[in-house]
mmCIF file of all heavy atoms in Angstrom:
data_model
loop_
_atom_site.group_PDB
_atom_site.id
_atom_site.type_symbol
_atom_site.label_atom_id
_atom_site.label_comp_id
_atom_site.label_asym_id
_atom_site.label_seq_id
_atom_site.Cartn_x
_atom_site.Cartn_y
_atom_site.Cartn_z
ATOM 1 N N ARG A 10 -24.739 -6.229 64.867
ATOM 2 C CA ARG A 10 -25.049 -7.159 65.965
ATOM 3 C C ARG A 10 -24.155 -8.405 65.857
ATOM 4 O O ARG A 10 -23.844 -8.804 64.766
ATOM 5 C CB ARG A 10 -26.552 -7.563 65.977
ATOM 6 C CG ARG A 10 -27.588 -6.469 66.249
ATOM 7 C CD ARG A 10 -28.935 -6.827 66.099
ATOM 8 N NE ARG A 10 -29.239 -7.407 64.759
ATOM 9 C CZ ARG A 10 -30.444 -7.747 64.403
ATOM 10 N NH1 ARG A 10 -31.499 -7.594 65.245
ATOM 11 N NH2 ARG A 10 -30.624 -8.194 63.164
ATOM 12 N N VAL A 11 -23.786 -8.977 67.051
ATOM 13 C CA VAL A 11 -22.918 -10.117 67.099
ATOM 14 C C VAL A 11 -23.724 -11.270 67.752
ATOM 15 O O VAL A 11 -24.335 -11.073 68.768
ATOM 16 C CB VAL A 11 -21.655 -9.808 67.879
ATOM 17 C CG1 VAL A 11 -20.915 -11.134 68.076
ATOM 18 C CG2 VAL A 11 -20.798 -8.742 67.297
ATOM 19 N N ASP A 12 -23.633 -12.474 67.045
ATOM 20 C CA ASP A 12 -24.270 -13.630 67.533
ATOM 21 C C ASP A 12 -23.353 -14.332 68.468
ATOM 22 O O ASP A 12 -22.270 -14.987 68.025
ATOM 23 C CB ASP A 12 -24.622 -14.581 66.417
ATOM 24 C CG ASP A 12 -25.399 -15.833 66.997
ATOM 25 O OD1 ASP A 12 -25.682 -15.944 68.138
ATOM 26 O OD2 ASP A 12 -25.688 -16.722 66.113
ATOM 27 N N LEU A 13 -23.519 -14.256 69.813
ATOM 28 C CA LEU A 13 -22.567 -14.827 70.848
ATOM 29 C C LEU A 13 -22.744 -16.337 70.906
ATOM 30 O O LEU A 13 -22.013 -17.043 71.466
ATOM 31 C CB LEU A 13 -22.837 -14.242 72.180
ATOM 32 C CG LEU A 13 -22.572 -12.756 72.293
ATOM 33 C CD1 LEU A 13 -22.873 -12.294 73.731
ATOM 34 C CD2 LEU A 13 -21.136 -12.438 71.897
ATOM 35 N N TYR A 14 -23.752 -16.942 70.206
ATOM 36 C CA TYR A 14 -23.902 -18.362 70.115
ATOM 37 C C TYR A 14 -23.036 -19.006 69.069
ATOM 38 O O TYR A 14 -22.839 -20.209 69.014
ATOM 39 C CB TYR A 14 -25.405 -18.770 69.947
ATOM 40 C CG TYR A 14 -26.172 -18.584 71.219
ATOM 41 C CD1 TYR A 14 -26.585 -17.360 71.599
ATOM 42 C CD2 TYR A 14 -26.516 -19.676 71.891
ATOM 43 C CE1 TYR A 14 -27.408 -17.211 72.763
ATOM 44 C CE2 TYR A 14 -27.321 -19.600 73.083
ATOM 45 C CZ TYR A 14 -27.762 -18.358 73.491
ATOM 46 O OH TYR A 14 -28.484 -18.214 74.626
ATOM 47 N N THR A 15 -22.545 -18.146 68.141
ATOM 48 C CA THR A 15 -21.688 -18.748 67.063
ATOM 49 C C THR A 15 -20.217 -18.245 67.260
ATOM 50 O O THR A 15 -20.021 -17.045 66.968
ATOM 51 C CB THR A 15 -22.318 -18.167 65.625
ATOM 52 O OG1 THR A 15 -23.748 -18.627 65.514
ATOM 53 C CG2 THR A 15 -21.458 -18.748 64.471
ATOM 54 N N LEU A 16 -19.432 -19.144 67.602
ATOM 55 C CA LEU A 16 -18.049 -18.761 67.939
ATOM 56 C C LEU A 16 -17.035 -18.893 66.851
ATOM 57 O O LEU A 16 -16.018 -18.274 66.842
ATOM 58 C CB LEU A 16 -17.652 -19.631 69.155
ATOM 59 C CG LEU A 16 -18.500 -19.567 70.342
ATOM 60 C CD1 LEU A 16 -17.850 -20.430 71.516
ATOM 61 C CD2 LEU A 16 -18.740 -18.218 70.840
ATOM 62 N N ASN A 17 -17.333 -19.739 65.815
ATOM 63 C CA ASN A 17 -16.346 -19.889 64.722
ATOM 64 C C ASN A 17 -15.026 -20.333 65.184
ATOM 65 O O ASN A 17 -14.016 -19.651 64.883
ATOM 66 C CB ASN A 17 -16.346 -18.690 63.827
ATOM 67 C CG ASN A 17 -17.708 -18.411 63.111
ATOM 68 O OD1 ASN A 17 -18.219 -19.237 62.504
ATOM 69 N ND2 ASN A 17 -18.166 -17.148 63.204
ATOM 70 N N LEU A 18 -14.973 -21.339 66.061
ATOM 71 C CA LEU A 18 -13.721 -21.644 66.669
ATOM 72 C C LEU A 18 -12.726 -22.235 65.646
ATOM 73 O O LEU A 18 -11.448 -22.197 65.908
ATOM 74 C CB LEU A 18 -13.985 -22.744 67.717
ATOM 75 C CG LEU A 18 -14.736 -22.246 68.931
ATOM 76 C CD1 LEU A 18 -15.010 -23.357 70.033
ATOM 77 C CD2 LEU A 18 -14.031 -21.127 69.701
ATOM 78 N N PHE A 19 -13.229 -22.821 64.515
ATOM 79 C CA PHE A 19 -12.280 -23.448 63.625
ATOM 80 C C PHE A 19 -12.784 -23.264 62.227
ATOM 81 O O PHE A 19 -14.016 -22.963 62.018
ATOM 82 C CB PHE A 19 -12.064 -24.924 63.932
ATOM 83 C CG PHE A 19 -13.239 -25.775 63.805
ATOM 84 C CD1 PHE A 19 -13.773 -26.252 62.624
ATOM 85 C CD2 PHE A 19 -14.059 -25.959 65.044
ATOM 86 C CE1 PHE A 19 -14.969 -26.967 62.635
ATOM 87 C CE2 PHE A 19 -15.157 -26.680 65.091
ATOM 88 C CZ PHE A 19 -15.676 -27.207 63.842
ATOM 89 N N THR A 20 -11.958 -23.451 61.217
ATOM 90 C CA THR A 20 -12.363 -23.338 59.844
ATOM 91 C C THR A 20 -12.827 -24.673 59.296
ATOM 92 O O THR A 20 -12.199 -25.583 59.526
ATOM 93 C CB THR A 20 -11.110 -22.834 58.947
ATOM 94 O OG1 THR A 20 -10.655 -21.605 59.522
ATOM 95 C CG2 THR A 20 -11.585 -22.590 57.545
ATOM 96 N N CYS A 21 -13.922 -24.615 58.661
ATOM 97 C CA CYS A 21 -14.582 -25.837 57.948
ATOM 98 C C CYS A 21 -13.754 -25.928 56.613
ATOM 99 O O CYS A 21 -13.762 -24.978 55.737
ATOM 100 C CB CYS A 21 -15.973 -25.658 57.781
ATOM 101 S SG CYS A 21 -16.987 -25.767 59.219
ATOM 102 N N ILE A 22 -13.018 -27.053 56.510
ATOM 103 C CA ILE A 22 -12.171 -27.229 55.364
ATOM 104 C C ILE A 22 -12.888 -27.902 54.199
ATOM 105 O O ILE A 22 -13.744 -28.726 54.351
ATOM 106 C CB ILE A 22 -10.950 -28.148 55.743
ATOM 107 C CG1 ILE A 22 -10.277 -27.602 56.969
ATOM 108 C CG2 ILE A 22 -9.989 -28.303 54.697
ATOM 109 C CD1 ILE A 22 -9.662 -26.205 56.845
ATOM 110 N N SER A 23 -12.569 -27.407 52.983
ATOM 111 C CA SER A 23 -13.024 -27.984 51.680
ATOM 112 C C SER A 23 -12.027 -28.739 50.977
ATOM 113 O O SER A 23 -10.746 -28.410 51.136
ATOM 114 C CB SER A 23 -13.686 -26.902 50.868
ATOM 115 O OG SER A 23 -14.672 -26.179 51.490
ATOM 116 N N PRO A 24 -12.293 -29.752 50.155
ATOM 117 C CA PRO A 24 -11.271 -30.424 49.406
ATOM 118 C C PRO A 24 -10.487 -29.458 48.470
ATOM 119 O O PRO A 24 -11.211 -28.592 47.951
ATOM 120 C CB PRO A 24 -12.085 -31.414 48.559
ATOM 121 C CG PRO A 24 -13.319 -31.675 49.353
ATOM 122 C CD PRO A 24 -13.621 -30.305 50.044
ATOM 123 N N GLY A 25 -9.170 -29.523 48.451
ATOM 124 C CA GLY A 25 -8.361 -28.709 47.675
ATOM 125 C C GLY A 25 -7.892 -27.377 48.378
ATOM 126 O O GLY A 25 -7.171 -26.688 47.791
ATOM 127 N N GLN A 26 -8.360 -27.165 49.656
ATOM 128 C CA GLN A 26 -8.023 -26.009 50.379
ATOM 129 C C GLN A 26 -6.643 -26.126 50.957
ATOM 130 O O GLN A 26 -6.237 -27.217 51.375
ATOM 131 C CB GLN A 26 -9.026 -25.666 51.421
ATOM 132 C CG GLN A 26 -8.788 -24.438 52.175
ATOM 133 C CD GLN A 26 -9.949 -24.180 53.087
ATOM 134 O OE1 GLN A 26 -11.061 -24.702 53.028
ATOM 135 N NE2 GLN A 26 -9.789 -23.164 54.059
ATOM 136 N N ILE A 27 -5.896 -24.959 50.957
ATOM 137 C CA ILE A 27 -4.548 -24.952 51.601
ATOM 138 C C ILE A 27 -4.819 -24.870 53.151
ATOM 139 O O ILE A 27 -5.351 -23.934 53.650
ATOM 140 C CB ILE A 27 -3.754 -23.734 51.161
ATOM 141 C CG1 ILE A 27 -3.490 -23.795 49.611
ATOM 142 C CG2 ILE A 27 -2.409 -23.752 51.846
ATOM 143 C CD1 ILE A 27 -2.818 -22.592 49.029
ATOM 144 N N VAL A 28 -4.196 -25.904 53.780
ATOM 145 C CA VAL A 28 -4.374 -25.991 55.282
ATOM 146 C C VAL A 28 -3.215 -25.375 55.978
ATOM 147 O O VAL A 28 -3.294 -24.587 56.969
ATOM 148 C CB VAL A 28 -4.529 -27.413 55.735
ATOM 149 C CG1 VAL A 28 -4.554 -27.550 57.199
ATOM 150 C CG2 VAL A 28 -5.859 -28.082 55.096
ATOM 151 N N ALA A 29 -2.056 -25.574 55.392
ATOM 152 C CA ALA A 29 -0.805 -25.102 56.025
ATOM 153 C C ALA A 29 0.273 -25.033 54.851
ATOM 154 O O ALA A 29 0.196 -25.534 53.883
ATOM 155 C CB ALA A 29 -0.333 -25.905 57.136
ATOM 156 N N ARG A 30 1.328 -24.296 55.297
ATOM 157 C CA ARG A 30 2.452 -24.172 54.416
ATOM 158 C C ARG A 30 3.814 -24.463 55.221
ATOM 159 O O ARG A 30 3.967 -23.915 56.310
ATOM 160 C CB ARG A 30 2.544 -22.800 53.779
ATOM 161 C CG ARG A 30 3.727 -22.623 52.768
ATOM 162 C CD ARG A 30 3.664 -21.229 52.085
ATOM 163 N NE ARG A 30 2.533 -21.188 51.129
ATOM 164 C CZ ARG A 30 1.479 -20.310 51.267
ATOM 165 N NH1 ARG A 30 1.334 -19.604 52.324
ATOM 166 N NH2 ARG A 30 0.527 -20.376 50.361
ATOM 167 N N LEU A 31 4.715 -25.269 54.638
ATOM 168 C CA LEU A 31 5.911 -25.619 55.287
ATOM 169 C C LEU A 31 6.956 -24.723 54.583
ATOM 170 O O LEU A 31 7.313 -24.817 53.384
ATOM 171 C CB LEU A 31 6.216 -27.047 55.019
ATOM 172 C CG LEU A 31 5.283 -28.022 55.728
ATOM 173 C CD1 LEU A 31 5.740 -29.520 55.479
ATOM 174 C CD2 LEU A 31 5.082 -27.764 57.127
ATOM 175 N N HIS A 32 7.750 -23.958 55.405
ATOM 176 C CA HIS A 32 8.737 -23.102 54.907
ATOM 177 C C HIS A 32 10.101 -23.869 55.218
ATOM 178 O O HIS A 32 10.385 -24.251 56.304
ATOM 179 C CB HIS A 32 8.747 -21.797 55.709
ATOM 180 C CG HIS A 32 7.561 -20.929 55.440
ATOM 181 N ND1 HIS A 32 7.513 -20.032 54.394
ATOM 182 C CD2 HIS A 32 6.350 -20.838 55.998
ATOM 183 C CE1 HIS A 32 6.298 -19.416 54.256
ATOM 184 N NE2 HIS A 32 5.602 -19.911 55.287
ATOM 185 N N PRO A 33 10.909 -23.990 54.137
ATOM 186 C CA PRO A 33 12.126 -24.858 54.359
ATOM 187 C C PRO A 33 13.192 -24.016 55.159
ATOM 188 O O PRO A 33 13.107 -22.884 55.254
ATOM 189 C CB PRO A 33 12.588 -25.054 52.919
ATOM 190 C CG PRO A 33 12.025 -23.837 52.061
ATOM 191 C CD PRO A 33 10.696 -23.588 52.824
ATOM 192 N N PRO A 34 14.161 -24.727 55.716
ATOM 193 C CA PRO A 34 15.152 -24.046 56.448
ATOM 194 C C PRO A 34 16.125 -23.320 55.461
ATOM 195 O O PRO A 34 16.264 -23.593 54.314
ATOM 196 C CB PRO A 34 16.031 -25.265 57.220
ATOM 197 C CG PRO A 34 15.772 -26.402 56.320
ATOM 198 C CD PRO A 34 14.239 -26.222 55.813
ATOM 199 N N GLN A 35 16.734 -22.231 56.015
ATOM 200 C CA GLN A 35 17.565 -21.377 55.160
ATOM 201 C C GLN A 35 19.065 -21.651 55.434
ATOM 202 O O GLN A 35 19.437 -22.121 56.437
ATOM 203 C CB GLN A 35 17.219 -19.863 55.467
ATOM 204 C CG GLN A 35 15.821 -19.458 55.327
ATOM 205 C CD GLN A 35 15.429 -19.619 53.834
ATOM 206 O OE1 GLN A 35 15.974 -19.229 52.986
ATOM 207 N NE2 GLN A 35 14.161 -20.222 53.746
ATOM 208 N N ALA A 36 19.777 -21.479 54.295
ATOM 209 C CA ALA A 36 21.238 -21.673 54.417
ATOM 210 C C ALA A 36 21.799 -20.525 55.254
ATOM 211 O O ALA A 36 21.234 -19.391 55.125
ATOM 212 C CB ALA A 36 21.943 -21.670 52.979
ATOM 213 N N GLY A 37 22.917 -20.752 55.934
ATOM 214 C CA GLY A 37 23.504 -19.685 56.741
ATOM 215 C C GLY A 37 24.514 -18.838 55.957
ATOM 216 O O GLY A 37 24.597 -19.082 54.725
ATOM 217 N N LYS A 38 25.106 -17.962 56.652
ATOM 218 C CA LYS A 38 26.068 -17.066 55.931
ATOM 219 C C LYS A 38 27.570 -17.389 56.390
ATOM 220 O O LYS A 38 27.773 -17.310 57.591
ATOM 221 C CB LYS A 38 25.761 -15.584 56.306
ATOM 222 C CG LYS A 38 26.648 -14.535 55.619
ATOM 223 C CD LYS A 38 26.361 -13.132 56.082
ATOM 224 C CE LYS A 38 27.285 -12.198 55.476
ATOM 225 N NZ LYS A 38 26.976 -10.761 55.861
ATOM 226 N N ASP A 39 28.240 -17.905 55.416
ATOM 227 C CA ASP A 39 29.659 -18.367 55.782
ATOM 228 C C ASP A 39 30.454 -17.129 56.183
ATOM 229 O O ASP A 39 30.214 -15.934 55.832
ATOM 230 C CB ASP A 39 30.258 -19.090 54.567
ATOM 231 C CG ASP A 39 29.574 -20.426 54.317
ATOM 232 O OD1 ASP A 39 28.888 -20.962 55.134
ATOM 233 O OD2 ASP A 39 29.726 -20.852 53.167
ATOM 234 N N SER A 40 31.616 -17.404 56.755
ATOM 235 C CA SER A 40 32.576 -16.391 57.111
ATOM 236 C C SER A 40 34.000 -16.960 56.850
ATOM 237 O O SER A 40 34.123 -18.075 56.418
ATOM 238 C CB SER A 40 32.434 -15.990 58.554
ATOM 239 O OG SER A 40 33.331 -14.931 58.877
ATOM 240 N N ILE A 41 34.988 -16.150 56.983
ATOM 241 C CA ILE A 41 36.403 -16.650 56.933
ATOM 242 C C ILE A 41 37.206 -16.156 58.200
ATOM 243 O O ILE A 41 36.864 -15.160 58.894
ATOM 244 C CB ILE A 41 37.070 -15.993 55.681
ATOM 245 C CG1 ILE A 41 37.003 -14.491 55.688
ATOM 246 C CG2 ILE A 41 36.358 -16.549 54.369
ATOM 247 C CD1 ILE A 41 37.756 -13.788 54.564
ATOM 248 N N THR A 42 38.333 -16.883 58.380
ATOM 249 C CA THR A 42 39.179 -16.437 59.503
ATOM 250 C C THR A 42 40.025 -15.308 58.926
ATOM 251 O O THR A 42 40.091 -15.044 57.724
ATOM 252 C CB THR A 42 40.017 -17.639 59.880
ATOM 253 O OG1 THR A 42 40.944 -18.018 58.870
ATOM 254 C CG2 THR A 42 39.156 -18.857 60.354
ATOM 255 N N VAL A 43 40.857 -14.783 59.849
ATOM 256 C CA VAL A 43 41.799 -13.630 59.303
ATOM 257 C C VAL A 43 42.824 -14.143 58.461
ATOM 258 O O VAL A 43 43.554 -13.366 57.782
ATOM 259 C CB VAL A 43 42.383 -12.990 60.592
ATOM 260 C CG1 VAL A 43 41.250 -12.265 61.450
ATOM 261 C CG2 VAL A 43 43.150 -13.945 61.479
ATOM 262 N N THR A 44 43.047 -15.499 58.419
ATOM 263 C CA THR A 44 44.023 -16.053 57.545
ATOM 264 C C THR A 44 43.391 -16.575 56.236
ATOM 265 O O THR A 44 44.077 -17.138 55.392
ATOM 266 C CB THR A 44 44.724 -17.227 58.153
ATOM 267 O OG1 THR A 44 43.772 -18.263 58.574
ATOM 268 C CG2 THR A 44 45.481 -16.782 59.440
ATOM 269 N N GLY A 45 42.062 -16.337 56.063
ATOM 270 C CA GLY A 45 41.408 -16.708 54.820
ATOM 271 C C GLY A 45 40.743 -18.128 54.827
ATOM 272 O O GLY A 45 40.263 -18.430 53.787
ATOM 273 N N ARG A 46 40.808 -18.771 55.949
ATOM 274 C CA ARG A 46 40.144 -20.108 55.923
ATOM 275 C C ARG A 46 38.566 -19.936 56.116
ATOM 276 O O ARG A 46 38.135 -19.136 56.836
ATOM 277 C CB ARG A 46 40.643 -20.983 57.118
ATOM 278 C CG ARG A 46 40.004 -22.349 57.222
ATOM 279 C CD ARG A 46 40.791 -23.215 58.244
ATOM 280 N NE ARG A 46 40.618 -22.549 59.571
ATOM 281 C CZ ARG A 46 39.579 -22.660 60.389
ATOM 282 N NH1 ARG A 46 38.623 -23.468 59.960
ATOM 283 N NH2 ARG A 46 39.547 -22.162 61.529
ATOM 284 N N VAL A 47 37.848 -20.713 55.246
ATOM 285 C CA VAL A 47 36.319 -20.568 55.269
ATOM 286 C C VAL A 47 35.774 -21.171 56.502
ATOM 287 O O VAL A 47 36.116 -22.355 56.901
ATOM 288 C CB VAL A 47 35.781 -21.267 54.019
ATOM 289 C CG1 VAL A 47 34.236 -21.195 54.018
ATOM 290 C CG2 VAL A 47 36.287 -20.541 52.774
ATOM 291 N N ILE A 48 34.880 -20.355 57.157
ATOM 292 C CA ILE A 48 34.154 -20.906 58.324
ATOM 293 C C ILE A 48 32.718 -21.215 57.753
ATOM 294 O O ILE A 48 31.981 -20.278 57.480
ATOM 295 C CB ILE A 48 34.079 -19.909 59.463
ATOM 296 C CG1 ILE A 48 35.493 -19.589 59.850
ATOM 297 C CG2 ILE A 48 33.322 -20.536 60.614
ATOM 298 C CD1 ILE A 48 35.492 -18.465 61.024
ATOM 299 N N GLU A 49 32.386 -22.452 57.607
ATOM 300 C CA GLU A 49 31.006 -22.781 57.107
ATOM 301 C C GLU A 49 29.991 -22.498 58.212
ATOM 302 O O GLU A 49 30.060 -22.893 59.308
ATOM 303 C CB GLU A 49 31.040 -24.256 56.689
ATOM 304 C CG GLU A 49 31.890 -24.551 55.520
ATOM 305 C CD GLU A 49 31.713 -26.014 54.967
ATOM 306 O OE1 GLU A 49 30.955 -26.731 55.672
ATOM 307 O OE2 GLU A 49 32.378 -26.240 54.047
ATOM 308 N N ALA A 50 28.827 -21.993 57.709
ATOM 309 C CA ALA A 50 27.737 -21.690 58.606
ATOM 310 C C ALA A 50 26.811 -23.013 58.716
ATOM 311 O O ALA A 50 26.726 -23.748 57.826
ATOM 312 C CB ALA A 50 26.844 -20.593 57.950
ATOM 313 N N GLN A 51 26.142 -23.076 59.870
ATOM 314 C CA GLN A 51 25.404 -24.158 60.236
ATOM 315 C C GLN A 51 23.937 -23.840 59.537
ATOM 316 O O GLN A 51 23.319 -22.854 59.742
ATOM 317 C CB GLN A 51 25.184 -24.362 61.676
ATOM 318 C CG GLN A 51 24.301 -25.578 62.143
ATOM 319 C CD GLN A 51 25.085 -26.802 61.962
ATOM 320 O OE1 GLN A 51 26.318 -26.911 61.867
ATOM 321 N NE2 GLN A 51 24.435 -27.970 61.826
ATOM 322 N N PRO A 52 23.424 -24.847 58.721
ATOM 323 C CA PRO A 52 22.123 -24.611 58.089
ATOM 324 C C PRO A 52 21.017 -24.734 59.070
ATOM 325 O O PRO A 52 21.204 -25.317 60.180
ATOM 326 C CB PRO A 52 22.049 -25.699 57.014
ATOM 327 C CG PRO A 52 23.001 -26.715 57.556
ATOM 328 C CD PRO A 52 24.124 -26.007 58.286
#
């Protein structure tokens, strides 16, 4: 049975609980020109 009066719209947080995680930006993949000059990737 499901209680339609209890929606659980959000999580009740406790001290020390992980709320979110920040993932850092990644480095790009460099390339080279046909003459051998390095083309740096945008991070």
Side-chain angles (χ1 to χ4, degrees):
R10 296 175 300 186
V11 174
D12 181 7
L13 298 179
Y14 284 78
T15 302
L16 305 183
N17 296 308
L18 293 176
F19 59 87
T20 303
C21 291
I22 308 298
S23 302
Q26 184 172 346
I27 300 175
V28 177
R30 182 176 286 112
L31 298 182
H32 294 270
Q35 303 298 313
K38 182 180 179 181
D39 294 340
S40 181
I41 59 173
T42 66
V43 293
T44 59
R46 182 173 60 85
V47 176
I48 303 174
E49 295 184 356
Q51 186 72 22

